[in-house]
Amino acid sequence: MTNKEPQNNTQEQDTQEQKIISATKKVFGEENYINVFYEPEDNFVLIKAKGKDLLSSSMSAKGMLKSIKDTLYEIREIPDLNVDFNIVYTMVNSAGDTSDDIVIKATYKNETRNSINWDEYVLYEDMPKIADEWWAHTAIETALKE
């Protein structure tokens, strides 16, 4: 029996990790998926993805919030999971050089995830308020206000 228990636990962890990866790819798109770091012993996942480049900076920023919300929805049934997001976006500096930088960092602890009422419509605009920790680049904050 002791041999089966760890194997089943490992299989369950692999299945959960696959669900997280699939959800991330589904929401952000295969081309914007960067990686998922899943640490089942700590009930922690870090999702790193690139924000979609939409018609305007405002639409792109709002799209990032919607993608965070949609990903949380897709993985809502995975129990005991603290979720962090690092959203990357191509930024242009004053000299015209581009780089892919983290523009949003968000933390949703398990208790917070469990408190979201998915039976009602959850507004993507509320994702920063719902988060346990939230940081956004000033360019994103400005774009969200447009």
Side-chain angles (χ1 to χ4, degrees):
M1 270 218 262
T2 54
N3 286 346
K4 281 192 169 206
E5 199 172 300
Q7 184 179 4
N8 287 343
N9 195 22
T10 302
Q11 287 174 338
E12 182 181 325
Q13 291 169 0
D14 290 346
T15 301
Q16 288 179 341
E17 184 173 20
Q18 267 316 118
K19 284 180 186 175
I20 296 164
I21 290 169
S22 295
T24 304
K25 288 180 179 180
K26 175 182 176 183
V27 172
F28 284 91
E30 188 87 33
E31 68 281 2
N32 294 322
Y33 170 82
I34 297 175
N35 65 29
V36 164
F37 174 76
Y38 179 52
E39 189 60 56
E41 292 81 26
D42 296 330
N43 300 327
F44 173 78
V45 65
L46 171 62
I47 297 171
K48 190 171 184 182
K50 187 169 184 179
K52 295 176 184 171
D53 197 12
L54 300 174
L55 294 175
S56 69
S57 57
S58 175
M59 288 177 72
S60 294
K62 290 173 183 173
M64 292 176 206
L65 298 186
K66 186 175 181 323
S67 293
I68 289 171
K69 181 194 88 139
D70 292 348
T71 304
L72 287 173
Y73 177 80
E74 290 291 326
I75 62 173
R76 70 193 180 282
E77 294 178 2
I78 298 176
D80 301 324
L81 188 64
N82 299 301
V83 182
D84 279 14
F85 288 90
N86 281 352
I87 307 301
V88 173
Y89 197 70
T90 303
M91 302 296 286
V92 182
N93 69 16
S94 56
D97 297 322
T98 62
S99 61
D100 286 344
D101 299 329
I102 294 174
V103 295
I104 293 177
K105 292 182 182 183
T107 298
Y108 298 88
K109 293 181 182 171
N110 188 55
E111 300 82 30
T112 301
R113 286 183 345 110
N114 290 336
S115 72
I116 298 172
N117 182 358
W118 293 112
D119 293 332
E120 296 297 322
Y121 187 71
V122 178
L123 300 173
Y124 68 84
E125 296 96 332
D126 290 335
M127 296 320 293
K129 293 181 222 163
I130 295 170
D132 293 289
E133 294 178 34
W134 180 267
W135 173 86
H137 189 283
T138 52
I140 298 300
E141 291 293 343
T142 302
L144 287 172
K145 294 175 185 170
E146 293 176 1

